[in-house]
Amino acid sequence: QQSGRRFNLFLKRRLRIDKRHESKDSIFFRDGVRRIDFVLSYVEDLNKEWEKKMERRKEFESNLQKAGLELETEDKKESEDGKIFFVKIHAPWEVLITYAEVLNIKVPIKENDIPSTVENPLDCVLFPLRLPEKVMHPEPDYFTAPFSKDKQELYLIDDESSFFSPSTRNRIVNYILTRCPYGTEEGKKKFGIKRLLNNGTYTAAYPLHDCQYWKKANDPNCDSERYTLYMEWARFLRFYKEQPLDLIRKYYGEKIGIYFAWLGFYTEMLFLAAVVGLICFLYGLFTMDENMSSKEICDPEIGGEIIMCPLCDRECEYWRLNTTCESSEYSHLFDNVATLFFAIFMGIWVTLFLEFWKRRQARLKYEWDLVDFEEEQQQLQLRPEYEAKCTQKKKNPITQEMEPYLPLTSQAVRFCISGATVLFWVSLIIASMIAVIVYRLAVYAAFASLMENTQTLQPISGLLTPQLATSVTASCLNFVIIMILNFFYERIAIWITDMEIPRTHMEYENRLTMKMFLFQFVNYYSSCFYVAFFKGKFAGYPGSYTYMFHRWRNEECDPAGCLIELTTQLTIVMAGKQIWGNIQEAIVPWICNWWGRRKARNNPENLYSRWEQDHDLQTFGALGLFYEYLEMVIQFGFITLFVASFPLAPLLALMNNILEIRVDSWKLTTQYRRPVAAKAHSIGVWQEILNGMAILSVVTNAFIVAFTSDMIPRLVYYYAYSVNEESPMSGYINNSLSVFLISDFSESNKPKENPENFVFCRYRDYRYPPDHERKYKHTMQFWHILAAKLAFIIIMEHVVFIVKFFVAWMIPDVPADVKAKIKREKYLTQKILHEYELEKLKERLCQGDKRATEKEFIATEGRMELSRAM
């Protein structure tokens, strides 16, 4: 019986489609002429508020029509599940030209006659990476000017229906939707589609994709740009191809276009860093056998005879140095002379990246008509939420108009609450990091005992030391805590930013960015800072160890240094974040969309309307790009702040970013509704964050080389303390380990057993032996090494900073040819506008218009001459 009803329903729909002679997979109204610029959807839920919601919708849609928009409603009987109403919105020409002037939208006035740049001699080599010209440059290049209703004949208007691109049309409609009122509630004027979505009056509001991504649209009037983007950009098999940035900008708007331009440029620059990092890693690999330190540690007659002091109280035993043979060999992969070179190289690379990006950004600003763009009127205008929540008004000194404002006392209270909340969450991160440190201190003894007594672990005991096991498990635990804290803080950050009621969209994004970045910075990097700069630095010495909370003994570094542990920490957190990020970005939306579309797949395609297909996709929210930038900037920190410890970090980032570009493009093209187009002339506040991290990275890498790696102590030994001229580094391990008399152990420190009756044990430090008059005090070599470390930091920082600032000064932010083109375009645009005004005056004079005086004509002609002279 149920299957019979479904069959009857199918026949009714089929007849309906045949009657209209059109497929519902269309981007036009039923007349096949008016384009659908936006879609609203809602469900009639018969609960307590359904009447109020119905009144809101009626008032809102009535006001939309008063604003000039045209609406067409699809009854719920037409929908796939028989529950959802769809309101299709079309902006007629009169509305488009009115708001194009309000939003200061630039439109073409003349085809660009400036010759293109000289062809690249490497074009023939790079040809396999190129895309077809029609994909790379879907539109001719034009001189543009802000639209004015009074000068329509000046613009190149061939067809009113296609003059404004779909992305411009949906931006205009979205502008109206966010400001359209829908009534008064509780004595306050209510307006805006965002509020209606929040209170459930509408379930969704979105512009349409122009076709299905896997095939072109049947309608010849549709450009099928989504299909082109999928075929040429969003498939992983095109990973080696350049990105069609102009087409991305045309389809999604400048804001998304500038993100992909930045991500692509960042990935290109990573290639150089990855190659140099790989060379440094290979240098370490090929010189492993020549490393004297690991040779001495592994030598049974040297490392095998050195008895080390226990690494924990009571439970741990004395151990021989050669048990760390494998880990000392692997530490040489990252702790060698190439580390110093790579740290200096990355300090210069990051400057080149930022300076060349400024030039690339300047070229995009010219090509995308963003030169005179000041974060767009839409960005600078008041947020609807600000206008709604701020009931008090005052006169704007510039516009002399009354506008809402937030009193200073209210702002102060909100900022105090916001600051206290952020401080609390940052403190929570620090507390969780301390908990992980306590875990490291508490389980070390357990791992040491387990590996000592478990026979199955004996074959790998050389590689899997208690230190490494503790470090790996602590890193994994830390990563899990990071992801959990992220999940909760993201929601808290949005809530407190909303509570602050920022005035403009730009203010909102900047405040949220700073809150999120501060949190993520502490969350992701705190564990790396601990291993790099604190672990092993405050351990004390046998008989006088330092304790955390007077209970847990502080950790010591491996005899070969702490750098290998920093590498382990960095690899796990960085790689884990990238893998988890790609799972979240690709697999989760795909599963959600598959689940939502599972019923529709069994029905005829022309019954599954374009607005329903897009309705079933995921929403790319206003903060969608924010999370993409945040992910990449955190990655940028990993490859700059701690790169001295892991030269392969840029290579990992490069491989991730090649995948990231295609994952982001695939999900945006296939898994998400089409975002509302928005303009942006730069990456915004992220540029300043990157500049700050670039400066900080020089300092952190200098400290890593000086204090975390073993390079400076080795160099001091080589030049000042070596006694063997033929092999200057022989004896270094013995020199770097101090002697402790076991009988000096206190009862709380002394191991339970000493089966071999050792008298002395060794520990990593530079202190006098027990028979010296300055027993266990620091030796002069310790102070020489400390002075060398401080001198190295000062010299390295100054050298890198001088080179950085010199490179930044040498490379102009705007290329010379772009400057010339901007001036040429401004001149030609002014000339065209002046000639147009002159022709208009001539016409008025010929028609006998008294207002068009001869003096006005002479003044206009003089202005043209002045413009030519300029």
Side-chain angles (χ1 to χ4, degrees):
Q1 202 173 21
Q2 192 176 1
S3 60
R5 267 195 238 107
R6 286 182 179 173
F7 182 69
N8 288 334
L9 182 62
F10 165 73
L11 286 178
K12 284 179 184 176
R13 291 181 182 174
R14 188 74 203 174
L15 289 170
R16 203 180 294 124
I17 291 293
D18 292 339
K19 186 177 178 181
R20 292 178 188 163
H21 299 290
E22 62 150 335
S23 168
K24 290 181 77 176
D25 186 19
S26 169
I27 57 170
F28 294 95
F29 275 21
R30 294 189 190 106
D31 57 19
V33 176
R34 291 174 294 171
R35 187 186 187 97
I36 302 171
D37 297 312
F38 229 90
V39 174
L40 308 178
S41 68
Y42 64 90
V43 178
E44 274 192 348
D45 46 349
L46 300 177
N47 56 20
K48 293 179 181 179
E49 292 199 346
W50 76 274
E51 287 187 4
K52 188 184 286 186
K53 290 179 181 178
M54 187 171 68
E55 285 299 319
R56 288 173 186 157
R57 282 193 293 267
K58 186 177 178 181
E59 181 72 17
F60 186 69
E61 289 171 18
S62 172
N63 288 330
L64 287 179
Q65 289 174 323
K66 287 176 184 175
L69 297 177
E70 296 174 2
L71 311 181
E72 185 177 83
T73 303
E74 291 284 334
D75 193 84
K76 63 181 180 181
K77 296 174 185 177
E78 305 282 335
S79 67
E80 181 62 37
D81 60 5
K83 296 177 182 178
I84 305 174
F85 290 83
F86 291 95
V87 181
K88 299 176 285 186
I89 302 174
H90 168 75
W93 175 253
E94 294 74 19
V95 172
L96 292 172
I97 60 175
T98 299
Y99 285 93
E101 188 169 11
V102 170
L103 294 174
N104 207 33
I105 291 171
K106 288 187 174 183
V107 293
I109 55 174
K110 180 185 176 183
E111 195 157 341
N112 193 338
D113 61 356
I114 299 175
S116 58
T117 53
V118 182
E119 287 189 6
N120 188 342
L122 297 176
D123 274 349
C124 55
V125 179
L126 300 175
F127 180 76
L129 310 181
R130 303 293 187 202
L131 288 172
E133 183 66 21
K134 190 177 180 182
V135 176
M136 287 302 296
H137 305 289
E139 293 179 312
D141 192 15
Y142 293 104
F143 292 135
T144 58
F147 188 85
S148 173
K149 288 170 70 175
D150 301 330
K151 301 175 183 176
Q152 290 188 46
E153 58 268 33
L154 175 65
Y155 309 114
L156 302 179
I157 305 174
D158 297 325
D159 180 7
E160 290 182 356
S161 64
S162 60
F163 179 67
F164 292 105
S165 67
S167 61
T168 303
R169 296 173 71 101
N170 74 54
R171 187 153 59 93
I172 289 172
V173 174
N174 184 65
Y175 179 85
I176 298 170
L177 289 172
T178 54
R179 284 157 178 79
C180 183
Y182 60 84
T184 304
E185 296 176 11
E186 300 173 357
K188 294 182 180 179
K189 190 177 180 183
K190 304 287 185 178
F191 57 88
I193 187 64
K194 185 176 180 181
R195 191 180 289 270
L196 290 171
L197 290 169
N198 290 339
N199 62 32
T201 304
Y202 290 100
T203 55
Y206 52 94
L208 290 179
H209 283 294
D210 62 358
C211 66
Q212 293 169 330
Y213 67 85
W214 64 86
K215 69 172 186 176
K216 289 186 177 180
N218 296 324
D219 193 327
N221 294 322
C222 180
D223 293 332
S224 298
E225 290 173 345
R226 185 190 187 193
Y227 169 80
T228 305
L229 284 169
Y230 174 70
M231 296 301 292
E232 301 291 348
W233 176 53
R235 294 189 300 160
F236 182 73
L237 293 178
R238 314 291 281 179
F239 73 91
Y240 61 94
K241 293 282 188 180
E242 61 185 334
Q243 297 187 86
L245 293 176
D246 287 347
L247 185 58
I248 297 167
R249 172 243 183 172
K250 183 186 175 189
Y251 192 75
Y252 291 116
E254 287 80 359
K255 194 170 186 178
I256 289 177
I258 207 87
Y259 163 72
F260 279 104
W262 176 80
L263 179 57
F265 183 79
Y266 171 43
T267 305
E268 289 170 16
M269 289 293 290
L270 272 176
F271 182 78
L272 175 62
V275 169
V276 176
L278 182 61
I279 291 171
C280 292
F281 175 77
L282 292 175
Y283 170 83
L285 183 65
F286 292 139
T287 57
M288 275 178 68
D289 294 337
E290 301 170 15
N291 180 28
M292 184 57 69
S293 297
S294 57
K295 276 183 179 180
E296 290 189 344
I297 290 173
C298 297
D299 191 338
E301 295 183 2
I302 302 176
E305 295 298 321
I306 295 177
I307 308 303
M308 301 296 293
C309 296
L311 293 170
C312 65
D313 293 340
R314 303 295 290 166
E315 298 297 330
C316 294
E317 298 178 351
Y318 300 100
W319 52 286
R320 296 182 186 276
L321 182 60
N322 64 351
T323 57
T324 61
C325 174
E326 285 85 353
S327 62
S328 68
E329 287 179 335
Y330 288 120
S331 69
H332 178 72
L333 290 172
F334 309 106
D335 192 359
N336 53 66
V337 179
T339 302
L340 172 61
F341 165 76
F342 193 59
I344 295 171
F345 167 80
M346 286 302 292
I348 299 168
W349 173 88
V350 74
T351 305
L352 291 173
F353 163 63
L354 293 172
E355 292 302 317
F356 282 125
W357 165 245
K358 288 178 188 175
R359 291 170 63 84
R360 178 77 175 113
Q361 193 169 254
R363 194 174 294 280
L364 286 174
K365 281 172 70 173
Y366 166 72
E367 293 173 355
W368 291 357
D369 294 321
L370 300 168
V371 172
D372 299 322
F373 173 72
E374 297 178 358
E375 270 327 320
E376 190 191 3
Q377 280 68 18
Q378 185 183 357
Q379 293 286 324
L380 291 174
Q381 283 160 349
L382 302 179
R383 293 171 66 235
E385 294 83 357
Y386 183 85
E387 294 175 311
K389 292 178 182 177
C390 299
T391 53
Q392 300 185 40
K393 294 193 175 184
K394 68 176 182 180
K395 185 179 285 188
N396 187 314
I398 299 170
T399 62
Q400 294 297 305
E401 294 179 359
M402 297 297 290
E403 62 178 35
Y405 84 104
L406 193 64
L408 190 61
T409 52
S410 179
Q411 286 185 46
V413 171
R414 291 170 188 275
F415 277 124
C416 286
I417 296 172
S418 172
T421 308
V422 172
L423 189 62
F424 168 77
W425 278 87
V426 170
S427 303
L428 192 62
I429 300 170
I430 295 171
S432 68
M433 186 194 72
I434 292 172
V436 173
I437 294 171
V438 169
Y439 164 84
R440 298 172 73 113
L441 303 179
V443 303
Y444 178 81
F447 275 122
S449 176
L450 179 69
M451 292 178 181
E452 182 72 24
N453 300 321
T454 306
Q455 293 299 319
T456 53
L457 294 176
Q458 289 302 316
I460 59 168
S461 60
L463 181 61
L464 187 64
T465 61
Q467 294 100 316
L468 186 59
T470 304
S471 181
V472 170
T473 55
S475 299
C476 293
L477 177 63
N478 183 62
F479 175 71
V480 172
I481 292 173
I482 284 171
M483 302 314 294
I484 293 171
L485 289 175
N486 269 351
F487 177 80
F488 289 107
Y489 183 76
E490 282 177 7
R491 286 144 185 81
I492 297 293
I494 293 169
W495 175 76
I496 57 178
T497 307
D498 286 338
M499 182 201 63
E500 290 174 10
I501 318 179
R503 190 169 180 273
T504 65
H505 291 283
M506 193 195 309
E507 271 185 38
Y508 183 90
E509 286 192 11
N510 289 349
R511 289 186 191 181
L512 181 62
T513 298
M514 294 312 296
K515 288 183 188 68
M516 285 295 293
F517 176 73
L518 174 64
F519 177 86
Q520 299 269 24
F521 184 91
V522 179
N523 200 14
Y524 279 107
Y525 303 141
S526 57
S527 57
C528 293
F529 272 101
Y530 164 72
V531 175
F533 306 123
F534 296 99
K535 185 182 174 183
K537 309 299 185 293
F538 310 100
Y541 64 92
S544 182
Y545 288 118
T546 55
Y547 291 82
M548 178 179 280
F549 306 129
H550 304 288
R551 181 175 177 183
W552 291 287
R553 188 174 124 189
N554 284 343
E555 288 182 284
E556 297 178 50
C557 284
D558 189 273
C562 266
L563 201 69
I564 190 70
E565 287 195 48
L566 178 57
T567 304
T568 305
Q569 179 78 26
L570 188 68
T571 306
I572 290 174
V573 176
M574 182 181 174
K577 183 186 182 304
Q578 292 180 167
I579 293 167
W580 178 249
N582 285 322
I583 289 172
Q584 275 187 313
E585 289 182 18
I587 297 176
V588 173
W590 180 82
I591 291 173
C592 293
N593 289 335
W594 171 82
W595 184 257
R597 288 196 302 253
R598 67 194 187 285
K599 293 179 182 178
R601 291 177 303 177
N602 300 320
N603 292 328
E605 193 177 278
N606 60 358
L607 288 177
Y608 192 31
S609 63
R610 163 91 350 247
W611 44 93
E612 284 183 278
Q613 291 176 44
D614 284 11
H615 181 269
D616 290 340
L617 297 176
Q618 300 299 298
T619 304
F620 191 79
L623 297 176
L625 273 188
F626 167 80
Y627 291 117
E628 300 297 342
Y629 275 120
L630 184 62
E631 180 186 3
M632 287 296 104
V633 170
I634 292 297
Q635 183 206 81
F636 181 81
F638 280 124
I639 68 158
T640 53
L641 297 177
F642 307 102
V643 75
S645 68
F646 190 35
L648 291 180
L651 181 62
L652 282 182
L654 175 65
M655 293 189 293
N656 174 77
N657 287 8
I658 290 171
L659 180 64
E660 181 76 20
I661 290 173
R662 303 304 156 179
V663 167
D664 285 352
S665 58
W666 174 80
K667 73 177 184 183
L668 203 59
T669 308
T670 67
Q671 304 302 309
Y672 282 88
R673 295 173 189 161
R674 186 174 185 172
V676 177
K679 283 201 170 188
H681 73 298
S682 69
I683 62 175
V685 71
W686 297 110
Q687 182 80 38
E688 300 308 316
I689 289 173
L690 292 173
N691 287 334
M693 292 179 79
I695 293 170
L696 181 61
S697 69
V698 178
V699 179
T700 55
N701 283 306
F703 271 85
I704 286 171
V705 173
F707 285 99
T708 311
S709 83
D710 215 26
M711 180 175 297
I712 303 301
R714 285 200 297 260
L715 289 175
V716 170
Y717 178 82
Y718 183 91
Y719 288 108
Y721 291 91
S722 176
V723 293
N724 188 334
E725 292 184 2
E726 294 182 2
S727 178
M729 287 307 296
S730 62
Y732 168 72
I733 289 297
N734 188 56
N735 175 266
S736 66
L737 298 174
S738 298
V739 180
F740 182 77
L741 183 64
I742 290 174
S743 60
D744 288 340
F745 267 126
S746 64
E747 285 302 318
S748 60
N749 297 137
K750 187 182 292 186
K752 291 179 180 178
E753 297 178 0
N754 184 5
E756 298 185 48
N757 297 316
F758 297 124
V759 178
F760 296 100
C761 66
R762 309 293 292 273
Y763 60 99
R764 184 182 169 82
D765 206 343
Y766 293 91
R767 294 179 184 271
Y768 288 110
D771 57 351
H772 196 275
E773 62 180 9
R774 301 192 64 197
K775 180 180 178 180
Y776 302 139
K777 299 291 185 184
H778 281 124
T779 64
M780 190 55 67
Q781 187 174 352
F782 170 84
W783 300 109
H784 286 166
I785 291 171
L786 182 62
K789 287 178 177 180
L790 296 175
F792 169 80
I793 290 170
I794 293 169
I795 292 168
M796 178 179 167
E797 284 182 2
H798 280 70
V799 168
V800 175
F801 277 133
I802 289 169
V803 173
K804 275 169 66 72
F805 291 127
F806 179 72
V807 168
W809 176 76
M810 284 286 292
I811 302 173
D813 291 348
V814 183
D817 64 313
V818 172
K819 282 184 181 177
K821 286 178 179 179
I822 291 171
K823 290 178 181 177
R824 170 71 176 161
E825 179 167 341
K826 281 187 175 179
Y827 163 71
L828 291 175
T829 304
Q830 285 181 351
K831 182 181 176 184
I832 292 167
L833 290 171
H834 292 163
E835 286 175 353
Y836 170 79
E837 290 177 8
L838 195 60
E839 287 298 319
K840 279 293 191 184
L841 274 173
K842 285 180 180 178
E843 287 178 16
R844 286 163 62 190
L845 284 170
C846 293
Q847 292 170 3
D849 190 342
K850 295 178 181 179
R851 290 175 297 173
T853 62
E854 191 173 340
K855 286 183 180 179
E856 188 179 356
F857 178 78
I858 292 169
T860 305
E861 208 167 32
R863 190 173 65 178
M864 284 184 61
E865 291 297 327
L866 186 62
S867 178
R868 289 194 192 99
M870 292 291 288

